Amino acid sequence: MTATVGVPKETFPGERRVALTPKSCEALAKARLAVVVESGAGLEAGFPDTEYEKRGVKIASRAEVFARAEIIVQARTVGANPVEGLSDISLLRSGQILIGFGDPLTAAAENAAVAATGATFFATELVPRITRAQAMDALSSMASIAGYEAVLLAAAALPKIFPMMMTAAGTITPAKVLILGAGVAGLQAIATARRLGAVVSAYDLRSAVKEQIESLGAKFVVLDLDTGGGDGGGGYAKAMDEAFYRRQRELLTEVIREQDVVITTAAVPGRKAPILVTAQMAEAMAPGSVIVDIAAERGGNCELTRAGETVVHNGITIIGPANLPSRAPFHASQMYATNLVNFLKLITKDGVPAINMDDEIVRESLVTKDGQIVHPKLRPAAPEGSSK
Ligand code: NAD
């Protein structure tokens, strides 16, 4: 028997991605997995039903997708889609596999609701950052798109252009862009801002990224701070205390004052994003300057950020974009689908589910199984009575 992978249409407001592209369905067919897609699921990403059908994929209603598939793949499962996603809970069944983003470190109630269905839930955010898992690392793929899109938002909002121009009408000096946090999104933001001709500098808590910043043609900002390397393991930053963040803000004030654009990306897994830019620091920037806060959905790196909104404060524009990857749904879906195909190959064998709990990638990304929240980091956070 061959298992079927189901792709429901995304229901989060404004979400334009689709979990599998038509081409990725071909790769799954080679792994002996059939696919059923909800009608219209790929349309906003540029993949009409006919493109799936050409590759032998069945198109069906949402209820049929959930009923027919042994494995459901989504960009946003209920934890990352807590209002509209709730109606999917009643469509899930015991033993069915669910894969997708789900904010598992914070969405305790949703973890519990999925566990109660008996479904086996893998959260893409929890795929460990080991070399073997790189091709499944959806967090990194989506962060790359986010970094690129953040720069485009900044460029469009800034009353200046980014590049230097020498024209008969005079010389235009290049825009100054500062990137705070040079992880996956930050590095992509540096590369994008450089391509547009800005003068770019960047800062990260992890001193290990200095070389990467410089290799992209940006200046590494050195602050007189003891970070102890800043690495909390797995490529993530370690959480610092409030005294550290206070000192960091003091030192950043002068750097930020001179910028036309600040793009903030700083995050610490499972925690609220650290405040790197206070209202006072933003107010010191020249009118017309722009801050794009990629961490907006995780609480924001700027005190003035409002997630999903653009705030103009004293002439400074603070953009708190929601769901940046969905702004480029074609390529975001293409990358995400590739990540999912690689993950599906890991958890199936000869076209049927084969979950090997001895595998580190499986163990670390598995949230629920057999009616329980099984992830060791998540069990204590679940509300009482969440497990059967
Ligand atoms: P992230 O989204 O968790 O954080 C973004 C950046 O913010 C990080 O670089 C972090 O150091 C930085 N940051 C946190 N607090 C800060 C502060 N107070 N001031 C300044 N910067 C701060 O991280 P991410 O982008 O998902 O990943 C970070 C790194 O992990 C990558 O650059 C990469 O080196 C590594 N990584 C490794 C693998 C792998 O080996 N398979 C996969 C992906 C990423």
Side-chain angles (χ1 to χ4, degrees), residues 129-130 134 137 140 181-185 203-206 234-237 245 248 265-268 274 276 298:
R129 275 154 163 209
I130 56 173
Q134 262 174 357
D137 183 354
S140 289
V184 182
Y203 170 74
D204 198 291
L205 197 64
R206 294 176 302 120
Y236 291 114
Y245 290 129
Q248 185 180 37
T265 81
V268 181
L276 307 186
R298 286 172 290 182

Side-chain angles (χ1 to χ4, degrees), residues 147-149 151-152 162 187-197:
Y148 167 86
E149 287 292 333
V151 174
L152 297 193
F162 270 27
L187 291 172
Q188 202 53 242
I190 294 172
T192 307
R194 286 277 301 148
R195 280 184 211 119
L196 285 176

Side-chain angles (χ1 to χ4, degrees), residues 36-285:
V36 55
V37 173
E38 181 179 346
S39 180
L43 198 58
E44 286 195 69
F47 308 110
D49 290 353
T50 48
E51 288 299 310
Y52 290 97
E53 284 174 317
K54 265 189 222 163
R55 288 157 170 98
V57 172
K58 294 267 180 306
I59 301 295
S61 70
R62 189 174 196 84
E64 275 176 295
V65 167
F66 275 88
R68 280 212 224 159
E70 283 82 21
I71 306 171
I72 296 290
V73 288
Q74 294 182 302
R76 289 175 181 268
T77 67
V78 61
N81 183 18
V83 180
E84 278 76 7
L86 268 185
S87 53
D88 290 344
I89 294 288
S90 59
L91 299 175
L92 287 169
R93 63 175 181 273
S94 186
Q96 196 168 34
I97 297 172
L98 174 67
I99 310 169
F101 284 103
D103 277 339
L105 296 177
T106 47
E110 288 80 7
N111 290 344
V114 174
T117 67
T120 302
F121 169 41
F122 292 99
T124 29
E125 297 90 332
L126 296 178
V127 167
R129 275 154 163 209
I130 56 173
T131 309
R132 188 166 57 90
Q134 262 174 357
M136 307 169 205
D137 183 354
L139 212 50
S140 289
S141 328
M142 298 304 106
S144 302
I145 305 261
Y148 167 86
E149 287 292 333
V151 174
L152 297 193
L153 283 177
L158 191 71
K160 300 179 175 180
I161 61 168
F162 270 27
M164 184 178 90
M165 266 191 205
M166 292 167 91
T167 75
T171 298
I172 293 172
T173 53
K176 285 189 187 158
V177 175
L178 172 71
I179 315 287
L180 293 177
V184 182
L187 291 172
Q188 202 53 242
I190 294 172
T192 307
R194 286 277 301 148
R195 280 184 211 119
L196 285 176
V199 170
V200 184
S201 49
Y203 170 74
D204 198 291
L205 197 64
R206 294 176 302 120
S207 46
V209 295
K210 179 176 186 286
E211 252 174 57
Q212 294 172 36
I213 290 172
E214 288 173 349
S215 72
L216 290 169
K219 182 173 160 261
F220 180 65
V221 175
V222 180
L223 300 183
D224 183 18
L225 268 173
D226 182 13
T227 62
D231 208 316
Y236 291 114
K238 68 179 172 201
M240 310 303 268
D241 60 18
E242 192 38 45
F244 176 92
Y245 290 129
R246 200 179 317 118
R247 177 83 184 125
Q248 185 180 37
R249 288 192 289 266
E250 273 167 33
L251 294 169
L252 278 174
T253 301
E254 284 312 301
V255 185
I256 286 175
R257 187 198 297 275
E258 293 167 8
Q259 306 298 324
D260 294 303
V261 170
V262 176
I263 294 179
T264 65
T265 81
V268 181
R271 289 177 184 245
K272 196 178 166 295
I275 293 287
L276 307 186
V277 184
T278 61
Q280 213 182 2
M281 289 160 82
E283 283 161 7
M285 294 176 82

